[in-house]
Amino acid sequence: MVSALTWVLAGIVAYTLVGMALRARGLLPDYVRLSGPITTLHTGRGRALLNKLAARRRFWRAWGNLGVGIALVVMVGSFLLVVVGAYSAIVDPQPTQLNQPRNVLAIPGVNDFLPLSVAPEIITGLVLGLIVHEGGHGLLCRVEDIEIDSLGLAFFTLIPVGAFVEPDEEELRESSRGSQLRMFAAGVTNNFALSLIALAVLFGPVMGAFAVVDGAPVGGVVPGSAADQAGIDRGDVLTGVDGQRVASTADLDAALANTSERTIAVNRREGEPVSVERSLVVTSAAAGAPLDINATVTAVDGTEVYTERGFERAARNATVATLRTDGGETVTTPLGASVLVAEDGPLAAEGAPAGESLVITAVGDRRTVAATDLTDAVASQSPGEPVTVVGFVDGERQRYEVTPAETDAGGLTLGIASIERGTSGFVVDEFGIKDYPAGSFLEILGGDAEDTATGSLSFAQRVFFVLLLPFAGAGAAGIDFNFAGFTGIATNFYEVEGALGAFGTEPAFLFANLLFWAGWINLVIGQFNCVPTFPLDGGHLLRASTESVVSRLPLPDKRRVVTTVSVTVTLVMIGSLLGMVFLPQLLT
C-alpha cells in the first residue's frame, strides 16, 4: 500500500513539472512566479492601507522596540534549543515519533500529530498568521519610510506557507539599524500577539463553558483484554459497574475493587450495557520479564486469579511462585520489584551485581511485591540505619545488609539506577482500558475540571503546555494521548454549558478548535521565524544585531566579521536542524 508521504512527494513533483511547462510557454500571468514547488503571488494592493495605519509612528516604533527585545530572546533560545537537540541526537540517537522526517512537515494528515480532521482550523490559523506577520513587516517599513515594491502570498504547491513584503532594497540598506531591527522583528511580534489573544479567549470565556461528562472516558482498549472481548471501544464513556454509579476513572477503579465477581455488568453513556468477564492480561513487560505482553495469568501457585487485587494477595504470600497462563503453560519465578542496580551505590558496595537486574522481594520486614511497594519501603527507612534487602539474581536468593544513602533531594536510596513497573517487570490489568485524561486537558486549557493532577496553572504555564499538547502522548509521562483539539473521540468526553452551549455543541467545538490551533500555530510561526538562519527573520535579526555590536568594536574589517558570524551561525543551525531529524535514523 502506497503511503501518504509517497503520494505527497509524487504530487509535489507533478506540480513542479506542470508549473515549469506553463512558465516555459509564457502561460503564467506576470503576478505569478514559480521557483520549483514554491509559487508566489505578487500585488501592489494594500500599500494605501499600510500608509494610513503607519500614521501613528510613535506607537508603532514603541511596539517595534518591544518586539525586538522579545525576538532577540527567542532567537537565542531557539539557537540553544536546536544545538542541544542536535548534540543529544549524536550522543543518544534514539529514533522517536517526534523526529521522524514526515513530522517535520506541518501538513495535516501527513504529520502524525496534525490530524486531517482539524486541517481547516490549522489552515485558518496559518493564513491569519501569515497576514499579521507580513502585515507587520509592511507596516514597519512605512513607519520607517522604507518603500514597498510588492506584497503577496507564497504557496508550497497549493498550500499557503507564507506571505511576504518586498521592501525597496536600497532604502532598506540605507535605513538605520534600529529601523531594520524593528522591521524584521515586527512579523514575529504580531504572531506572538495574535497567539496570546486567541489563547486568552480560549482560556477564559470559552473553556469556562466546557465541562467533562460524567463517567470514565475510554481513550483506548488493550487488545485481548476483558474490555476488548466485551465490545467496549475507544470513545465510550463508562457510567456504571454492577449497579454502582461511575462518574470518573477513579470511581471505575473503586467500583472494580469493590466487587469480587468475575463477570460484571458495565453501563455506557451511549450504547447498551455489556457483560465483562474479568481476566488478567499482561499489558507491559520489560526485557527479561517472566511473561510477555498479551499473556493472560489464570493462577498463582494453583490459586485462580482474575483481578489485580487477587493477584497481589496471591503474590504477597509467595516469594517464588508458579504462574499459569490461559494456554496451560507455567513459569516459576520470584515475585518482587525488578530493579537495575546502580554502578555506584549501597547495593553494589555490598556485593549486588552492578549494572544488572535484581528482583527485590523484601526490604527489612516489608514485603515488596511491586515497584510501588519498594518505593514505600525505602522511604520508610531511617538514615544511617542498616536494613536487610532480600532479592533474586538469576533465580538465586541473595541477602544484602545495606545502609541507605541520602540523595541530593533529601530522600533515601539503596543504589538503584531504575525500577521497572509492576511485579517482576510485568504489569497485569483485569479490565483493559486506557483512560483518556479529559479532565487534565480541560484544566490545562483553563476549564474547571476536578480531580486533575495539573493543579493551578498560570497563564504563561498554560501557553507553554499548549505548545506541547499535540505531542503529549509522545513524551509526557503517564499520558498516552495527543491532544488535537475537540475532535474525534474527544468530542464524546466534553459538554458545553451556558451561553456558548446555546449555539450547539458542534459550533462550540469548532470555535474552540479555531482558537486552539490559531494560538498554537502562531506560536510555532513566531518561534520558527526567530531561528537565526537565512532567509528567516532570525537571520536578518542576527546580522543587524551583530552589525550593531561589531560597529562599537575596534576591528579592522568589520564587514568580514559580521559576515563570518552570520554565515557560521546559519550553517550551525542548518546542520543542527538536519541532525535532529536524520541522525537518530542514521546512527541506529
Side-chain angles (χ1 to χ4, degrees), residues 536-547:
L536 301 176
D537 294 332
H540 295 289
L541 287 168
L542 172 66
R543 176 179 285 276
S545 57
T546 303
E547 286 177 345

Side-chain angles (χ1 to χ4, degrees), residues 32-347:
V32 177
R33 301 174 192 173
L34 267 72
S35 179
I38 303 298
T39 304
T40 55
L41 305 180
H42 298 249
T43 181
R45 296 180 180 179
R47 284 181 289 197
L49 176 61
L50 293 176
N51 288 334
K52 184 177 180 180
L53 293 174
R56 301 185 62 183
R57 294 174 184 264
R58 181 175 296 180
F59 171 80
W60 290 119
R61 281 178 176 151
W63 177 254
N65 289 330
L66 173 65
V68 169
I70 295 172
L72 290 176
V73 170
V74 177
M75 182 184 74
V76 174
S78 299
F79 176 80
L80 295 176
L81 181 65
V82 173
V83 171
V84 170
Y87 175 76
S88 299
I90 295 173
V91 298
D92 186 22
Q94 296 293 330
T96 67
Q97 192 179 15
L98 288 171
N99 55 32
Q100 291 295 317
R102 66 178 178 276
N103 292 329
V104 177
L105 303 173
I107 302 177
V110 174
N111 189 305
D112 293 333
F113 304 101
L114 305 180
L116 198 58
S117 59
V118 291
E121 292 92 328
I122 293 175
I123 292 174
T124 300
L126 176 61
V127 170
L128 290 173
L130 298 178
I131 291 172
V132 300
H133 184 99
E134 294 304 324
H137 288 318
L139 178 59
L140 265 294
C141 276
R142 298 309 303 127
V143 167
E144 304 297 343
D145 292 322
I146 301 171
E147 286 295 332
I148 298 172
D149 290 338
S150 69
L151 306 91
L153 293 173
F155 295 80
F156 184 78
T157 64
L158 300 176
I159 302 172
V161 294
F164 60 88
V165 170
E166 289 184 322
D168 184 279
E169 291 295 332
E170 184 176 348
E171 292 191 5
L172 179 61
R173 284 193 299 270
E174 293 176 354
S175 62
S176 68
R177 293 190 186 93
S179 297
Q180 293 179 25
L181 284 168
R182 285 189 290 270
M183 191 276 288
F184 288 131
V188 298
T189 307
N190 287 357
N191 286 131
F192 291 141
L194 176 59
S195 176
L196 295 181
I197 292 171
L199 294 179
V201 176
L202 178 68
F203 297 160
V206 175
M207 286 297 98
F210 277 59
V212 178
V213 300
D214 283 345
V218 181
V221 179
V222 178
S225 66
D228 184 34
Q229 294 179 7
I232 294 175
D233 201 0
R234 61 191 300 270
D236 281 341
V237 179
L238 309 184
T239 58
V241 173
D242 274 355
Q244 301 179 60
R245 180 175 175 271
V246 170
S248 65
T249 300
D251 287 349
L252 175 63
D253 294 338
L256 292 173
N258 287 338
T259 178
S260 60
E261 298 295 327
R262 181 163 193 168
T263 302
I264 55 177
V266 177
N267 296 329
R268 296 179 289 181
R269 189 166 185 260
E270 296 182 1
E272 296 295 324
V274 294
S275 179
V276 179
E277 184 175 354
R278 291 190 281 184
S279 60
L280 287 174
V281 175
V282 177
T283 57
S284 69
L291 296 176
D292 295 327
I293 294 177
N294 294 331
T296 300
V297 180
T298 59
V300 177
D301 277 347
T303 301
E304 184 182 30
V305 292
Y306 51 84
T307 66
E308 294 166 41
R309 180 171 292 188
F311 176 82
E312 192 273 339
R313 282 197 300 266
R316 193 166 293 278
N317 294 329
T319 301
V320 178
T322 299
L323 308 179
R324 188 176 71 237
T325 64
D326 59 346
E329 299 177 355
T330 60
V331 58
T332 300
T333 181
L335 297 179
S338 179
V339 307
L340 182 68
V341 180
E343 296 287 346
D344 183 19
L347 272 171

Side-chain angles (χ1 to χ4, degrees), residues 531-584:
V531 171
T533 185
F534 289 97
L536 301 176
D537 294 332
H540 295 289
L541 287 168
L542 172 66
R543 176 179 285 276
S545 57
T546 303
E547 286 177 345
S548 180
V549 173
V550 171
S551 65
R552 295 172 171 81
L553 300 176
L555 298 173
D557 194 344
K558 297 180 180 181
R559 180 182 294 275
R560 177 174 292 180
V561 173
V562 171
T563 301
T564 300
V565 171
S566 300
V567 171
T568 300
V569 173
T570 295
L571 292 177
V572 169
M573 288 304 300
I574 293 174
S576 298
L577 286 169
L578 293 175
M580 288 174 61
V581 176
F582 295 107
L583 282 179

